[in-house]
Amino acid sequence: MDENGYTLGELIKEFYRKHNRENTLDEVKILESWNSVVGEYIAYHTLDLRVSKGILYVKVDADSLRSELLFSKNILMDNLNRLVGYELLHGIIII
């Protein structure tokens, strides 16, 4: 806590809020949760993962896996949004 009684976490959240980056911490939470949400096999074949403007971009190394993810992207989006507690993601693009 600082001299005003704020924790480090509260100060970081306030910093992001002031700089219009409130979602940054939740975006990181989504990225860090990817492996547990999709499982070891899909995580292993994920080459790149990023969030930009409410869209999750996922790059995988196999066409068959890409098709599977396209089929289940609404379920994935619901599960990832549930982790952060609100609808942060508005779409998923599988590359």
Side-chain angles (χ1 to χ4, degrees):
M1 281 193 198
D2 71 354
E3 64 274 357
N4 296 319
Y6 294 105
T7 66
L8 179 59
E10 291 169 333
L11 293 171
I12 291 171
K13 285 180 183 179
E14 180 62 18
F15 172 83
Y16 281 117
R17 188 191 64 73
K18 283 184 179 180
H19 292 87
N20 295 321
R21 295 293 300 162
E22 294 174 87
N23 296 337
T24 300
L25 296 175
D26 291 331
E27 290 172 358
V28 170
K29 186 175 184 178
I30 282 177
L31 297 176
E32 289 177 346
S33 300
W34 176 255
N35 293 4
S36 64
V37 170
V38 299
E40 186 178 319
Y41 180 79
I42 294 174
Y44 178 79
H45 291 281
T46 300
L47 301 175
D48 189 29
L49 193 64
R50 62 187 167 87
V51 177
S52 178
K53 298 179 182 178
I55 306 293
L56 176 65
Y57 295 87
V58 181
K59 184 175 183 180
V60 294
D61 63 3
D63 289 336
S64 59
L65 185 56
R66 188 175 301 108
S67 296
E68 182 180 334
L69 289 173
L70 285 169
F71 181 73
S72 59
K73 69 181 184 177
N74 288 333
I75 295 169
L76 286 171
M77 191 166 48
D78 289 345
N79 290 339
L80 291 165
N81 280 333
R82 195 172 301 118
L83 283 170
V84 294
Y86 66 101
E87 191 176 318
L88 172 68
L89 297 178
H90 303 292
I92 297 178
I93 296 178
I94 313 295
I95 305 167

